[in-house]
Amino acid sequence: MGHLAPTTDDLVLQTGEGSKTLSAGRRYLVGRDPTSDITFTDKRVSWHHAVLRMDRGSWTVEDVGSTNGTFADGYRVQRRELGPGTFLRFGHRDDGPWATISSVSRPPPTRVEKLSHEAGTSASQIFRQPTVVRRVSAPVLTIGRNPDNDVVVDDLIVSRRHAELRVLADGRHEIVDLGSHNGTYVNGQSVTACFLGPDDVVEIGRSSFRLVGDRLEEFADTGRVSFSARRLAVRVEHRGRKRTLLDDVSFGLPEKSLLAVIGPSGCGKSTLLRALTGYRPADDGEVLYDGRDLYRHFPALRQRIGLVPQDDILHRELTVRTALAYAARLRFPGDTEPAERDGRIDEVLGELRLGLRADQRIAALSGGQRKRVSVALELLTRPSLLFLDEPTSGLDPGMDRDVMQTLRGLADDGRTVVVVTHSVAELNVCDKLLVMAPGGVVAYFGPPDEALAFFGCQSWADVFQALEERSGDDWFGRYRASPQYAMYYAEAAATEPVHVQEEEQPQPVKPQPWRSQLWTLMRRYLAVIASDRGFMALMVLLPAILGGVSLLVPAASGLVAPEPPEKFNRQAATILQILAIGACFAGCSNSVRELVKERVIYERERATGLSRSAYLMSKIIVLGTISVLQALVICLIGLVPRRLPAEGLILKSAPVVEMTVGIMLLSFVSMMCGLVISALVKTAEKTMPLLVMFCIVQVVFTGLLFQLFDKPVIEQLAWLMPGRWAVGMVATTTDLSRLMPPFDEKNPVLDPVWQHTAAQWWTDAAMLILIAIACGFAVLRLLRRHEPDVMRGR
């Protein structure tokens, strides 16, 4: 093996087509791509097959996710040092296209060549020739979408004025973000300003840049990327014991591939999908996007990855075009012209044959058409990787075929597509098939047409039955002993697993400006509400009915002292109880389903850079306004017709306004409590019992049914109830302690929360506001549980 001794000399690569000198300052792509440095036409060679480069002083060959593998001296390799005498084959061990290595001396490298070598080492994940090479001659180069930039990036996720590359007086280079929509990234991390060294890669939109001496090289991501998983493992704690959900899962995909992942329920398919997309990073192993670690570079790569969950990521009340328009506003820069957004939407609608459905409500579409709309939403940003979770679930065989053929077309157009599915009828359209067995292990990876023969079964029903009934078998060991393992799997598993360290987690994703997101979210939410006629009708009728119910209480004296000989106004507490419960029910019912029903949508949009606080604030503003207006209607109906105090505590001439403010605040805080419930529950069905329980608890703790003060524990528990403080606000204005009969006639004590003073009114109002703020922080915290792991805490 002496010929494998490392060398820093130039190498000569001899192929059947001739020879080529490999310079240590560059890297060389091998593949069928005509722009490759070493091109082979043999179809067994992948479009981007392998890369040759200098790495730490030694020449190496590295397979970049090829289908049929790279072989050195007769052995399939993932990465191998090269030296004079090394014999390589690509695509097949015995008769694939060949190359041999010999050495040639070269003079000492110049400074520029050294810089080129260093940059090439860091940028070796970009396995292609530069799209454009520019000389950096001006002190400032502007980068952006606008045609008058020095570096024009024709990409809608790039801002018109995105960043500047500055040459400083001391010769150093600095990249400065200009407040862009989707951020500027250096080595996968978001930056506002950063000095660049020879090892740094700048990413803007789907383009990557590197400096080599005084040259700026651009690499455009056209969708033709390799993708691989290496020895992924996921473990969780279950009842004090470690449980393995994924066990040593590896595979590699070349560009333009369609992979189907199948297996019985509980075998780890969904866990694998979350690990591949970064939603729940694996505990061990790595996921490589064109050679880059997805977990470490997630902020930079997030716009290049599309995910279509099993549940539709759509507001069904909207039309197809409207839903896509709001998604485009959230994902594209604020400086994108409406015509640009509309043009991209039309492109996607045409690509997925949805043009005739563009103005239909999503709820009126068939299951297959809705799934295509979900795919269309993800294609807006032109992702190079597309993942789908059970896209054919619940569809008839015709729709199943239609969806799978659509995915085949998307892959052929230059994307890598991974689909998790239970359907096996259309597996023949896929390039590769990954079969998972119970325990999260790989039972098979290879072409679909070889799978049944591998399992020795006549049908997929037999395969699934065998996997479930023989769950204790060593399925991966059986696969490892097969020819398919050596041909399709071994190179992806050859690398040792990498443990994901905390410090390697990505920096915060740069979101769209907060106010811009808030405005878009509010407009979308109002459009959803306006499209739901049933909700609109209920929103108007509910307060009218609740306010009208209070009028059923006969009380000629209203909320003032009764005419003699009556000593107390016994109906005053009843009227106030009805108004308070009406406000509680209206506010909480408005919001109790809002977060849980949008959970899948929120999770996906959060991964694309949605601000958690902007999302919550959009709900608070819209639902809060609705709740306050409903409380106003309740008070107009329930209070205005009655006799009220002559003077207020805060507004002397308008006591009804003081009382109405208390009911409005109660409705608003109840809405906030509804958001807490909605963030807590897992399904929408669980919200109704909790809504009823919340309202009943408020009835008990208003302080109108029995004495709460001077009762340890009960009094302190009542402090947490918005109904207690809202009733207190109204009670201070009406001096309710002196209107209603005391709870203990022998020892009448005034409720301290009802004291007839302005200070007490403000105290009651402040407590309601504090409860609302506490609910807001609680919802923000709870929303983290329903976000991709890679986004938590950001």
Side-chain angles (χ1 to χ4, degrees):
M1 299 296 288
H3 60 276
L4 289 178
T7 177
T8 57
D9 290 340
D10 287 352
L11 294 181
V12 174
L13 185 79
Q14 180 72 41
T15 70
E17 306 296 326
S19 63
K20 186 180 188 69
T21 300
L22 309 182
S23 300
R26 288 191 56 193
R27 74 224 179 283
Y28 297 85
L29 176 67
V30 180
R32 290 202 332 273
D33 186 345
T35 63
S36 298
D37 301 286
I38 298 99
T39 306
F40 295 110
T41 58
D42 192 308
K43 292 185 177 180
R44 293 172 296 180
V45 176
S46 297
W47 192 260
H48 291 158
H49 194 104
V51 67
L52 305 172
R53 66 178 181 273
M54 182 76 75
D55 187 8
R56 300 175 184 176
S58 301
W59 276 97
T60 63
V61 60
E62 182 171 355
D63 190 278
V64 292
S66 70
T67 301
N68 297 313
T70 300
F71 302 84
D73 296 328
Y75 295 93
R76 188 164 186 169
V77 297
Q78 175 61 32
R79 182 180 180 279
R80 173 75 174 272
E81 288 186 355
L82 300 177
T86 304
F87 183 76
L88 300 173
R89 282 197 184 272
F90 304 95
H92 195 277
R93 182 182 61 185
D94 299 324
D95 60 357
W98 59 270
T100 59
I101 302 295
S102 59
S103 64
V104 62
S105 61
R106 65 188 299 266
T110 65
R111 179 178 180 274
V112 171
E113 289 171 330
K114 287 181 178 179
L115 290 172
S116 176
H117 161 63
E118 293 167 354
T121 300
S122 68
S124 62
Q125 296 115 336
I126 307 170
F127 300 117
R128 57 184 64 86
Q129 288 293 98
T131 310
V132 181
V133 178
R134 302 174 178 87
R135 187 168 296 280
V136 181
S137 54
V140 176
L141 265 68
T142 59
I143 305 173
R145 199 175 78 250
N146 224 42
D148 60 356
N149 284 285
D150 300 304
V151 179
V152 179
V153 182
D154 186 15
D155 186 345
L156 279 182
I157 64 176
V158 174
S159 298
R160 291 187 181 277
R161 289 284 187 272
H162 197 106
E164 288 181 351
L165 178 63
R166 300 173 181 174
V167 183
L168 305 182
D170 59 5
R172 290 186 300 171
H173 293 79
E174 182 182 30
I175 189 74
V176 178
D177 185 83
L178 300 178
S180 66
H181 173 95
N182 285 309
T184 300
Y185 301 87
V186 175
N187 302 326
Q189 307 305 314
S190 177
V191 299
T192 54
C194 181
F195 294 113
L196 298 179
D199 296 334
D200 295 327
V201 175
V202 178
E203 292 174 282
I204 294 176
R206 288 190 306 277
S207 292
S208 301
F209 301 86
R210 65 169 183 155
L211 278 167
V212 181
D214 62 349
R215 294 177 300 139
L216 180 66
E217 297 184 347
E218 177 183 353
F219 304 84
D221 185 343
T222 60
R224 295 176 171 178
V225 299
S226 61
F227 181 72
S228 61
R230 294 181 176 178
R231 310 197 68 177
L232 300 182
V234 174
R235 293 174 290 273
V236 296
E237 288 281 349
H238 182 68
R239 295 180 180 178
R241 300 179 61 184
K242 282 277 190 180
R243 181 185 174 194
T244 299
L245 302 182
L246 284 184
D247 188 4
D248 200 16
V249 176
S250 302
F251 63 85
L253 295 174
E255 62 187 39
K256 300 172 64 174
S257 295
L258 174 57
L259 168 70
V261 182
I262 66 171
S265 298
C267 66
K269 299 189 300 296
S270 295
T271 302
L272 175 62
L273 187 67
R274 297 180 74 83
L276 295 177
T277 56
Y279 273 48
R280 197 291 188 190
D283 298 306
D284 291 297
E286 58 187 358
V287 178
L288 301 179
Y289 176 103
D290 219 19
R292 278 167 282 185
D293 189 310
L294 175 64
Y295 301 155
R296 295 185 61 188
H297 293 80
F298 184 83
L301 297 176
R302 61 187 173 90
Q303 295 287 4
R304 310 188 197 185
I305 298 173
L307 172 63
V308 181
Q310 184 172 351
D311 298 322
D312 292 332
I313 47 177
L314 306 161
H315 290 93
R316 297 191 176 194
E317 299 84 0
L318 302 178
T319 65
V320 172
R321 187 179 295 278
T322 302
L324 294 179
Y326 281 115
R329 287 191 182 99
L330 284 173
R331 300 188 184 195
F332 292 156
D335 59 14
T336 305
E337 296 293 337
E340 293 179 292
R341 288 196 301 264
D342 293 342
R344 180 56 189 154
I345 291 170
D346 288 337
E347 288 178 19
V348 171
L349 291 174
E351 186 175 5
L352 293 171
R353 308 189 308 279
L354 288 169
L356 297 178
R357 311 288 182 185
D359 297 318
Q360 289 188 5
R361 291 182 65 197
I362 295 172
L365 301 178
S366 66
Q369 290 166 347
R370 285 200 306 272
K371 191 59 64 177
R372 288 213 301 272
V373 176
S374 292
V375 175
L377 189 150
E378 292 300 307
L379 293 186
L380 286 173
T381 55
R382 291 190 172 94
S384 302
L385 267 176
L386 184 63
F387 296 89
L388 301 99
D389 189 5
E390 300 287 356
T392 61
S393 178
L395 302 184
D396 61 54
M399 285 294 181
D400 183 351
R401 174 177 295 178
D402 180 67
V403 170
M404 292 301 291
Q405 289 179 344
T406 298
L407 300 183
R408 176 69 266 173
L410 293 176
D412 291 339
D413 286 342
R415 301 176 186 90
T416 299
V417 182
V418 178
V419 54
V420 173
T421 181
H422 275 108
S423 175
V424 295
E426 302 297 326
L427 294 179
N428 60 302
V429 303
C430 300
D431 299 298
K432 288 290 189 297
L433 176 65
L434 178 65
V435 182
M436 301 292 294
V441 300
V442 174
Y444 173 83
F445 176 72
D449 55 6
E450 299 179 20
L452 286 178
F454 168 81
F455 286 104
C457 297
Q458 297 297 316
S459 68
W460 282 109
D462 295 334
V463 174
F464 278 51
Q465 184 177 11
L467 291 172
E468 289 179 331
E469 292 181 352
R470 295 156 48 193
S471 58
D473 288 7
D474 183 8
W475 288 103
F476 182 66
R478 184 175 183 271
Y479 174 63
R480 187 165 48 197
S482 69
Q484 286 87 355
Y485 176 87
M487 293 180 65
Y488 310 118
Y489 191 90
E491 88 280 0
T495 304
E496 288 299 314
V498 176
H499 184 70
V500 180
Q501 301 291 338
E502 287 298 318
E503 62 269 21
E504 293 180 339
Q505 295 303 315
Q507 298 299 314
V509 169
K510 177 182 174 62
Q512 184 185 26
W514 190 87
R515 286 183 296 178
S516 177
Q517 284 198 16
L518 176 63
W519 177 237
T520 300
L521 291 167
M522 287 174 57
R523 289 178 61 191
R524 183 177 69 178
Y525 193 25
L526 288 170
V528 170
I529 291 175
S531 302
D532 190 342
R533 296 181 181 178
F535 181 80
M536 290 282 288
L538 182 63
M539 184 175 63
V540 173
L541 291 174
L542 182 62
I545 293 172
L546 293 174
V549 168
S550 68
L551 295 177
L552 300 176
V553 180
S557 58
L559 293 172
V560 296
E563 298 291 339
E566 292 292 332
K567 187 177 181 181
F568 298 108
N569 184 346
R570 300 181 182 277
Q571 283 75 37
T574 304
I575 295 169
L576 187 51
Q577 184 83 286
I578 294 174
L579 294 178
I581 297 310
C584 280
F585 182 80
C588 191
S589 63
N590 284 335
S591 60
V592 76
R593 296 171 62 92
E594 288 307 303
L595 300 183
V596 67
K597 77 179 184 181
E598 290 188 356
R599 186 156 296 161
V600 177
I601 298 174
Y602 171 73
E603 183 181 63
R604 179 63 194 125
E605 291 183 340
R606 181 76 175 114
T608 63
L610 179 71
S611 166
R612 183 192 306 136
S613 59
Y615 175 77
L616 175 59
M617 189 56 67
S618 72
K619 298 294 184 185
I620 291 175
I621 292 174
V622 174
L623 293 174
T625 301
I626 292 172
S627 299
V628 166
L629 291 176
Q630 288 178 326
L632 176 62
V633 173
I634 291 173
C635 291
L636 288 174
I637 297 174
L639 290 179
V640 171
R642 301 184 183 276
R643 292 177 59 198
L644 301 175
E647 289 187 352
L649 294 170
I650 310 299
L651 302 173
K652 297 294 184 180
S653 60
V656 67
V657 175
E658 285 183 26
M659 300 165 68
T660 300
V661 168
I663 300 300
M664 285 178 169
L665 274 176
L666 177 57
S667 184
F668 181 85
V669 178
S670 297
M671 181 275 300
M672 295 296 295
C673 292
L675 289 177
V676 174
I677 294 172
S678 192
L680 273 172
V681 298
K682 294 183 178 180
T683 62
E685 290 73 17
K686 295 180 180 179
T687 59
M688 290 300 104
L690 293 175
L691 168 63
V692 173
M693 184 181 71
F694 171 78
C695 292
I696 291 174
V697 169
Q698 299 312 305
V699 171
V700 174
F701 284 96
T702 56
L704 295 169
L705 298 181
F706 58 89
Q707 181 177 325
L708 296 176
F709 56 93
D710 292 337
K711 290 188 174 182
V713 180
I714 293 179
E715 181 178 14
Q716 285 71 40
L717 187 60
W719 293 346
L720 303 175
M721 305 300 165
R724 170 69 166 151
W725 301 103
V727 167
M729 289 181 69
V730 182
T732 57
T733 300
T734 61
D735 199 8
L736 189 63
S737 290
R738 302 184 188 280
L739 284 183
M740 62 180 286
F743 293 111
D744 186 351
E745 294 186 3
K746 295 181 180 180
N747 183 29
V749 181
L750 299 180
D751 191 328
V753 177
W754 297 357
Q755 292 182 55
H756 188 55
T757 64
Q760 187 59 50
W761 190 93
W762 284 113
T763 299
D764 296 341
M767 290 301 297
L768 279 171
I769 294 171
L770 285 176
I771 293 174
I773 293 173
C775 288
F777 279 109
V779 175
L780 280 175
R781 188 72 180 174
L782 290 169
L783 282 174
R784 293 178 69 252
R785 304 187 312 162
H786 311 297
E787 297 176 357
D789 286 8
V790 76
M791 296 294 297
R792 293 187 182 178
R794 312 204 190 285

